[in-house]
Amino acid sequence: MRGISDPVSCELLALSVANCQLRQLCLPFLFANIAIYINKDVQRLKDDLALLSKYTKMLSIDEGLTESGDQTLSQLLPQLKQLCDVELRTCRDLRTDLLRAILAHPKVTSVLVDEFPEESMCNDDLSKLIIDRTTGYQDSPPEFDKYLNRGMRIMCLELFKFDNLRLDTQFGSKILSGLQEIRIFNYSIPELSSWLPVLSSTHSTLKELWLCGTLCRVSDHAALPFLSLFIQKCQQQNLINCFVISRLGLRRSVSQFSQVWSVIDITLGIGTSLIQLLTLIAISFPKIERLTLSNLNQDAGRYDIADFTSIFARFSSLRVISFENVFGWLKFGSESDTPTSTVQRAAIVHDLKARVKSGLLVFTSCLAKQVRTLDSIYISEMGSESDNSGNHAKSWHLSGWLHVLNGNRDIGGTLK
């Protein structure tokens, strides 16, 4: 058995073995969330049942169990007295009995699954059942309405053909119980602007909306109220055609049925005017938590890393930044000292790759100290090497996650 959701920290584990008194204090946290992957985990649960019965509140069950493992687990479930949340990713085929045993547990309030259960479950009370995500009516089973009518909830709805989606024909007046998130791919701006207010007013649980997979200049989004201030400022500074948007993440305010949506995530491809655009984004979207930037034009200009990273300090809520080909924007001291000056001279791919990696680590370290809310940085960088004759030889790629480790804002992680 292993921890799930929020894994047990090393500090908590160390504290739990310091002495008996601290061990007792740590037990509720050590065994609150457990995961069952294989039959051996079921046996361990059985062996430690007296302990887990007191503390386990969340259980994750993997598809790696055999039929006998599922049967044993079904028998043990009633003895987990504190259990309230279960993740059962696979619930079809031979797992119907296990699902019914979980739903029958008196303390369990939610059962998260990745797929629709067997059709025979349409006659059961499914009010505890939450499907993680579904792709709407077009890819759902014919029994979709039956599941909903038995109380099943949907956490995330994915729509891939939004141009053809009509609220009156697809949903009518139906309330999708428990709906927290919608992801729309290849969306249509006019359709969205008329459809979103209706859905927002009828689904109090809906908190996030994601618009993905469409490259649009910002002027194409003029009908969306949550971008109006940003568009206005871009027009005033003649920046309206300097970038494209490929993803937007929105979250609405906490008040019930609110129509106020705030941008929390944006993915941009930028060709020019990087500093000006970042300044406008920080002003226009004060609640933004995640920013993804790609360099559409490697000759768009280069910036001293101290000046460049200081712009990000203007973001008050930023937690994650992702960069695609950021190296072309960076300038390190004098030109002769910059890693980019070696591109034409270097003859070995890993030599150039090592220099770029070193420069990126300097950049991200500086960035972590400038942005006090930042937790993680993702880097994806690629380039090509030329031999001594100027002929193209090989390409290289660097990528990886870097994380802020401590109060000193030190960076840890690997680029490879």
Side-chain angles (χ1 to χ4, degrees), residues 179-193:
L179 185 64
Q180 298 180 23
E181 179 182 342
I182 297 178
R183 292 180 176 266
I184 306 174
F185 298 84
N186 301 318
Y187 55 93
S188 163
I189 297 298
E191 189 76 21
L192 174 64
S193 61

Side-chain angles (χ1 to χ4, degrees), residues 320-335:
V320 179
I321 306 178
S322 299
F323 293 105
E324 299 175 7
N325 297 320
V326 67
F327 195 74
W329 283 324
L330 304 179
K331 182 169 62 176
F332 296 80
S334 65
E335 185 67 23

Side-chain angles (χ1 to χ4, degrees), residues 91-141:
C91 64
R92 295 183 68 86
D93 300 326
L94 301 176
R95 308 206 93 177
T96 300
D97 289 342
L98 176 59
L99 178 57
R100 283 198 167 104
I102 296 170
L103 294 175
H105 193 294
K107 289 288 190 68
V108 169
T109 58
S110 69
V111 183
L112 187 66
V113 297
D114 282 343
E115 58 187 357
F116 290 89
E118 294 288 350
E119 185 179 357
S120 61
M121 296 288 295
C122 289
N123 296 321
D124 294 50
D125 179 1
L126 302 180
S127 58
K128 297 179 181 180
L129 194 66
I130 304 172
I131 189 165
D132 191 13
R133 63 185 60 205
T134 180
T135 53
Y137 280 13
Q138 58 264 43
D139 295 321
S140 298

Side-chain angles (χ1 to χ4, degrees), residues 3 24 29 32 131 160 167 193 234 240 246 259 262 282 315 324 332 340 359 377 382 388 409 416:
Q24 290 299 315
F29 305 99
I131 189 165
F160 289 90
L167 188 63
S193 61
C234 286
I240 204 74
S246 59
Q259 296 289 347
S262 300
F315 290 82
E324 299 175 7
F332 296 80
T340 50
I377 305 166
M382 62 178 61
N388 291 330
R409 311 297 294 171
K416 58 183 179 180

